[in-house]
Structures are given as C-alpha cells and as structure tokens.
Amino acid sequence: MRYIRFLKPPRIIQDDQSPTKCSLTCLITITSDLGDSFLTEDASIDAETQYEGGNWSNFKRFNWTNGMRTLPIKLPQTYLYTGNVTLRVGLNEFHSPAKCETDKFEILFDKKSHGIVSAYSAPLDPDRERKEAERLIERRFELSGQRVISVWEETGESIARHVWDAGVALSYHIDQVLANPEYESPIANALNPGPGTEGLRILELGTGCGIVGITLATLLPHASVILTDLPEASDIVTRNLSQAQPAKSTTLRFQTLDWDDEELSALTDPIKPSEPAGPSEHSTPIKGPTFDVLVVADCTYNPDSSPALVRTMQRIAKISPEVTIIVAMKKRHPSEDVFFDLMAESGFRLAEGDGVQIELPCDEGCANEVVHVYVYRHRSYKGYAVAAATAKQGARMRDEGGAQRKKKRRIG
Ligand SMILES: C[S@@+](CC[C@H](N)C(=O)[O-])C[C@H]1O[C@@H](n2cnc3c(N)ncnc32)[C@H](O)[C@@H]1O
C-alpha cells in the first residue's frame, strides 16, 4: 500500500500585498509503510480543504508521476480562512469525485485502486494563530455499515507512531468477517464465539497507533479491548482512543507492555476481577486477567525482537490457556521466518489451517505484496484434548467396527 505523508505540514501563507488573501501550502510524498519506496505509477492527487461544520472548498488536482519523490501542494485562496480548516490530500478516482470524508476500506483494497491512503491534516486556524498544522496525519477508514475509524499518526519516522500495512489489512479483514456471517475466514470462529458467550476479552500487542484494536472495539459489542505497546506509543494511541467510538458496552484502553519485561505486571489491572486460569498443563493456577483473543499485527518484522514477543505470548497463554492468537504479518525478509520456529518450539500450533492471505493493492513498485493472517493456539488449549479424545474414540470405534465385521465374516 502507499501512504500520502506530509513532509512539510500544511501552512497558511498570507499574501504580502493583500491582508485578506492567503494560500495554503504543504509538501507531500507517497511511500510504503516503511518509507523505503515511492509510488511508481502516475496518479491524480486531489487536495481540498474542509471547514469545521463540513463544508469543502478549494479543490485542486495535482499530478504525481513515476519517479517523483515529493510533490508540492499549493491551494491559492481568495480570502483568509476563518475558523478551523483541515486539508485532505488523496486519490479521488475510485472514490467520489471530491469531498472525500473517508477512505472506504472496500475501495482502498480494490485491485483497481493504487491502495493509496489519504492524508487529513490537523486543523489550522489563522484566527487563533494556528497557521501551521501540527506534525500529524489523520487516516480515516470507513468500515462497512458506514462506521468510521479515525487514526492519527505522526509525520516522523517512528515505528510505533504510524500505521502499518498488516494493521490496515487485518482491520479490513476483521470488518469483512464481522459484517458477513457467511464469510469464510480462519479468524471467524475466534471473533464470533457463538451465542451464550460473554463479551470477548481482547489483548493487542504492539498496537502502534491502535488501528486493529480500535477496529475491534468499534465492531464488537460487550467486549473488553486492551491495547499495549512501549511507552513511546502512549501519546498517539491515547489521542486515538479519545476519538474512538466503541460499540455498545465495549471498553477500550491502553497500557504499556514491553515484551522484554519478564513479568506481565503491566496487566495486573485486570479487565475482570482476577480469576484463576482454567485447567492447563501448568501445575499451579496463575491469577490474573484472562484473554480470549490476542492480536498481533506487523510485529514480526524484526527477527531480533521475535524471541521476546513469543515469550510474551507464552506468558499470556499461561494465564489464558484458551486464548486464540491472531497474527498478521507482511513478510519483508526471509529472516522473519524465525518467528514460526519460535512459536513451534514454545508450544504454539497453527490452528485453522494455514491462515489466509490478503492481497495488498499496489503499483508496480510493490507488486504481489500480501499480508498473511495466522491463527495459533497453545498446546494447553482444552479444545485440542477434546479433539484428540474424539479422534481416539473415533479410531477405537472404527477398529471395533472392523473387528465386528471380520468376526461376522468369519461366522458367516
Ligand atoms: C511495525 S509496528 C506495528 C504497529 C501496529 N500493530 C500496526 O500494524 O499498525 C510494531 C509495533 O511493535 C512495537 N514494539 C516493538 N518492540 C516492542 C517491545 N519490546 N514491546 C512492546 N512493543 C514493541 C512497536 O513500538 C510498534 O508499535
């Protein structure tokens, strides 16, 4: 996918000649999530301003051509802005011609689109001397049923403070699964545990800006969703949580959790009163919060941090032996495969087959990119014992049936 980023945030520049005239400028680029490659196709990029209250104005089209690294945007104004104004820079070709309040997931993931994610600026307000926008970008994704999630990210290079392809792709997939009960997906069982089940208790590791956890909380009623990451993600994710609109009776919060910490002390504040973990291979039941679903998106990119990540998953499986782990990864390098070895060595098994592949829409420069979604369970998961017992019983019945038939044949 490609993300429009503000290299220089939008600024209102007043005309020297006329105090009532001004223009709005910024410098953009269009890159991959890592920022290591640029859009390689020509594209019409539209810029437009939106006033507080919803009115759009000053539409102008700009041309991005293959080989470009930056594109200056300038919207000439005939009068000075008053009140809050936001700049949107995005692709309109496959959305409505202009005035795009959001990026529709459905359209963003359509192969025909370039997978270009629009950028919405922080508000400017010349009246209050806010003539330069904060160094932030808002991503607005429209889920099915016209629900919208807003995710702010920073314009800088920090890994934790912008959204990543696997997070966007998994959020899109979750939306599809929850919107269509018939939709076949390896994550469907985990997210639709069936009637009579209490609200899901969900934990996300390495949430970054929070896109996946916020999507889950927006779509799942009666759930408890805890997003976790290093302290450096705290400011941006807190901003995003303050704008989130969780579904009915769903709670959503952030806690710091470093995979390198030996203890899950960050999670000692449980979402439900402490309760003993269910039966497991571990001799002493451990007290603490338990989780039904653990979500991890785009956290396996660094093989050096995989051991700590997997150890954290192990600790969580110890307090929640029934947990289903959903891992979304966009493989960028073969060395990332160490994650699978570590998972197997740590007692995790791939459940629900080999997962699912989500194709990322893109240009020639990033062709054939996919996000894999895998589902894991720990070997202490009760369902395995039940499945094994059923299989054993089935085999015994088959053996017995065979013996009976042989006996009958002999008697006959
Ligand atoms: C590539 S980002 C993915 C963010 C988000 N899940 C998404 O898909 O947009 C990886 C995340 O893992 C977090 N992370 C890396 N090392 C960590 C550690 N030791 N403990 C906790 N989080 C860590 C980073 O801070 C970052 O937010």
Side-chain angles (χ1 to χ4, degrees):
M1 302 192 76
R2 301 296 190 185
Y3 300 81
I4 297 182
R5 303 180 190 282
F6 296 126
L7 288 175
K8 289 187 187 159
R11 271 194 331 142
I12 293 171
I13 299 172
Q14 214 160 312
D15 194 316
D16 290 342
Q17 313 299 318
S18 160
T20 54
K21 284 191 177 174
C22 68
S23 56
L24 198 150
T25 66
C26 70
L27 184 68
I28 65 150
T29 184
I30 309 179
T31 69
S32 60
D33 54 358
L34 259 175
D36 59 347
S37 59
F38 298 85
L39 177 68
T40 54
E41 280 175 13
D42 299 351
S44 300
I45 300 296
D46 295 340
E48 201 170 7
T49 49
Q50 186 179 30
Y51 287 92
E52 209 169 6
N55 288 339
W56 290 88
S57 69
N58 308 316
F59 174 84
K60 193 168 175 197
R61 181 155 283 182
F62 296 83
N63 292 319
W64 174 277
T65 49
N66 183 7
M68 268 188 169
R69 303 230 148 178
T70 59
L71 176 64
I73 301 284
K74 185 169 183 185
L75 294 181
Q77 306 290 309
T78 48
Y79 58 93
L80 193 63
Y81 295 103
T82 51
N84 271 344
V85 66
T86 300
L87 174 71
R88 171 192 182 263
V89 186
L91 186 80
N92 281 325
E93 227 169 308
F94 300 103
H95 293 260
S96 55
K99 304 178 179 49
C100 279
E101 304 271 355
T102 58
D103 282 344
K104 288 191 174 63
F105 261 152
E106 211 186 320
I107 295 173
L108 205 57
F109 277 84
D110 188 308
K111 277 207 183 116
K112 289 199 297 290
S113 103
H114 301 272
I116 297 177
V117 182
S118 308
Y120 296 79
S121 78
L124 298 122
D125 185 352
D127 293 344
R128 281 189 257 145
E129 292 302 308
R130 206 168 344 120
K131 290 188 175 158
E132 181 166 325
E134 267 184 277
R135 296 184 166 271
L136 293 169
I137 299 171
E138 187 187 11
R139 309 291 183 192
R140 298 182 191 167
F141 299 107
E142 188 171 325
L143 316 176
S144 38
Q146 294 184 327
R147 279 171 291 197
V148 174
I149 56 163
S150 150
V151 183
W152 287 93
E153 53 176 45
E154 287 182 9
T155 54
E157 292 296 311
S158 161
I159 285 175
R161 296 191 289 258
H162 70 265
V163 296
W164 291 74
D165 284 355
V168 179
L170 179 59
S171 302
Y172 165 59
H173 189 66
I174 290 169
D175 180 41
Q176 284 183 309
V177 169
L178 293 175
N180 313 304
E182 307 301 314
Y183 195 85
E184 280 188 25
S185 160
I187 67 169
N189 286 337
L191 299 185
N192 294 306
T197 322
E198 277 180 54
L200 288 175
R201 294 159 300 175
I202 301 173
L203 180 70
E204 184 181 3
L205 301 179
T207 189
C209 301
I211 180 167
V212 176
I214 291 173
T215 302
L216 284 163
T218 306
L219 296 174
L220 285 169
H222 312 291
S224 304
V225 184
I226 302 182
L227 315 183
T228 68
D229 206 302
L230 296 170
E232 66 192 71
S234 175
D235 283 354
I236 198 78
V237 80
T238 307
R239 174 187 274 263
N240 289 330
L241 292 191
S242 71
Q243 290 193 192
Q245 297 185 321
K248 193 176 166 215
S249 308
T250 287
T251 60
L252 173 64
R253 64 188 164 89
F254 172 77
Q255 282 185 217
T256 53
L257 177 83
D258 184 342
W259 311 330
D260 288 308
D261 280 352
E262 285 306 310
E263 297 296 326
L264 291 175
S265 48
L267 298 174
T268 48
D269 174 19
I271 36 176
K272 290 189 120 195
S274 289
E275 52 189 66
S280 78
E281 60 177 358
H282 312 291
S283 48
T284 40
I286 298 152
K287 293 216 167 206
T290 57
F291 300 99
D292 304 301
V293 179
L294 176 62
V295 197
V296 187
D298 234 326
C299 290
T300 50
Y301 61 96
N302 178 3
D304 292 342
S305 56
S306 284
L309 172 64
V310 175
R311 275 198 305 277
T312 304
M313 293 186 185
Q314 251 188 323
R315 286 182 209 120
I316 289 158
K318 210 168 180 184
I319 55 171
S320 308
E322 298 302 299
V323 73
T324 300
I325 302 178
I326 299 173
V327 180
M329 63 194 286
K330 177 180 163 189
K331 213 164 90 176
R332 297 176 174 87
H333 193 267
S335 62
E336 293 167 42
D337 284 346
V338 70
F339 172 77
F340 299 108
D341 301 335
L342 291 165
M343 288 297 272
E345 285 162 19
S346 308
F348 291 104
R349 296 178 188 170
L350 271 176
E352 313 283 349
D354 288 336
V356 67
Q357 277 191 31
I358 303 165
E359 279 180 39
L360 298 179
C362 229
D363 52 285
E364 278 174 15
C366 57
N368 304 325
E369 286 187 342
V370 292
V371 166
H372 286 96
V373 179
Y374 299 103
V375 175
Y376 276 98
R377 292 208 182 88
H378 196 256
R379 61 170 175 246
S380 53
Y381 173 70
K382 258 192 296 186
Y384 285 138
V386 174
T390 316
K392 242 186 190 171
Q393 197 183 4
R396 208 171 48 235
M397 282 163 73
R398 276 194 302 279
D399 286 352
E400 280 171 8
Q404 293 279 347
R405 278 194 299 278
K406 271 186 200 158
K407 205 170 157 189
K408 263 190 186 164
R409 272 202 301 273
R410 273 205 305 274
I411 293 168

